[in-house]
Amino acid sequence: MKKGFVFDLDGVITDTAKFHYIAWKNLAKHLGITIDEVFNESLKGISRMDSLDKILAHGHKENEYTLAEKEALAKNKNDDYVKLLADLSADDLLPGVRDFLVDAKAHNIPCAIASASKNAPMILEKLGVLDYFGHIVDPETLMKGKPDPEIFVKAAQSIGVAPKDAIGFEDAQAGIEGIKAAGMYAVGISTTEKLTGADLQVTSMTELSVEQLISI
Ligand code: B16
Ligand code: MG
């Protein structure tokens, strides 16, 4: 029997990747770097500063900025990104998410968020689902990002569940690897990518049943 659920945010609860892409593309253009949607895939689940480093390396400009300048660039990107989230609402929940959370609550299954995003609490509030989560891991407290298992272990423990009794939900390969390294059951959610190592892969949460999952 499984006793707790740990969710990634971007790509699982809502699709914020499109807004990250617009904001990064604007910043990259300002720096004279071109990024496309294929490159954007490699930024999914990656922290803000690591994403900036990848973009700078992509444009062969990795040695052109001091740490303070990079922090200012990352802040500009985030200000732009947060503006793009202004109209985010419950309509932006991905299919099946609300029903799944309601069902988890009805079965007394605690839920936590394991997202690299520092904007996660604000996004969940705008989506109207903040109250379904017992804990949101603060990415500032992490030593390492995904694919390290740290965020998933912390998320499970924060809701009082041993990782072996938890199920993790992810849309990115790095996330699936982190969930498996944490000793958890991994559900991959993706329409585009084959997520290697996932115990179960679906294209949307509408295909999932809380009852079936907890009996695994
Ligand atoms: P922020 P996830 C990740 O969310 C995004 O996929 C990634 O593109 C982003 O850079 C990262 O959050 C940090 O987000 O700039 O808002 O702190 O997939 O881990 O939920
Ligand atoms: Mg994600």
Side-chain angles (χ1 to χ4, degrees):
M1 286 288 282
K2 299 296 181 192
K3 298 175 183 153
F5 294 152
V6 172
F7 299 87
D8 174 48
L9 176 64
D10 175 26
V12 171
I13 303 287
T14 189
D15 178 21
T16 37
K18 60 187 180 219
F19 301 121
H20 281 295
Y21 179 48
I22 295 170
W24 281 130
K25 205 176 154 107
N26 286 344
L27 182 84
K29 192 175 170 195
H30 172 75
L31 301 176
I33 301 170
T34 306
I35 61 169
D36 60 15
E37 286 186 29
V38 175
F39 178 80
N40 191 53
E41 286 297 308
S42 71
L43 302 181
K44 287 188 177 175
I46 305 292
S47 76
R48 199 179 305 167
M49 279 307 265
D50 287 349
S51 299
L52 176 60
D53 284 338
K54 268 181 172 266
I55 290 168
L56 293 176
H58 184 68
H60 308 289
K61 293 180 189 281
E62 59 270 51
N63 298 320
E64 289 187 17
Y65 299 93
T66 64
L67 180 58
E69 285 168 339
K70 288 204 292 183
E71 279 168 354
L73 292 174
K75 183 184 177 305
N76 285 348
K77 179 268 172 177
N78 192 56
D79 290 347
D80 208 8
Y81 172 64
V82 168
K83 278 186 206 146
L84 293 166
L85 298 179
D87 294 332
L88 203 72
S89 73
D91 292 342
D92 296 295
L93 283 169
L94 284 168
V97 172
R98 178 178 289 281
D99 287 350
F100 191 87
L101 292 173
V102 168
D103 211 14
K105 192 174 179 183
H107 284 83
N108 288 319
I109 301 295
C111 296
I113 291 284
S115 166
S117 177
K118 295 178 189 172
N119 294 296
M122 176 268 283
I123 291 170
L124 291 167
E125 179 149 39
K126 279 179 166 288
L127 295 169
V129 292
L130 185 59
D131 292 347
Y132 287 98
F133 299 98
H135 188 77
I136 301 167
V137 176
D138 177 358
E140 300 261 29
T141 64
L142 301 172
M143 304 289 289
K144 287 184 175 175
K146 301 170 189 178
D148 191 275
E150 183 183 12
I151 192 169
F152 297 104
V153 172
K154 276 198 169 152
Q157 288 173 344
S158 74
I159 49 171
V161 177
K164 70 172 177 42
D165 296 328
I167 297 181
F169 301 81
E170 258 288 351
D171 69 311
Q173 186 59 43
I176 295 291
E177 285 163 25
I179 291 170
K180 290 314 296 171
M184 294 163 56
Y185 184 92
V187 176
I189 304 172
S190 178
T191 45
T192 51
E193 236 187 300
K194 163 91 182 86
L195 296 165
T196 306
D199 295 294
L200 172 70
Q201 179 162 347
V202 293
T203 55
S204 116
M205 291 205 60
T206 55
E207 294 167 48
L208 297 171
S209 143
V210 169
E211 203 146 317
Q212 273 178 16
L213 283 173
I214 57 178
S215 67
I216 283 168

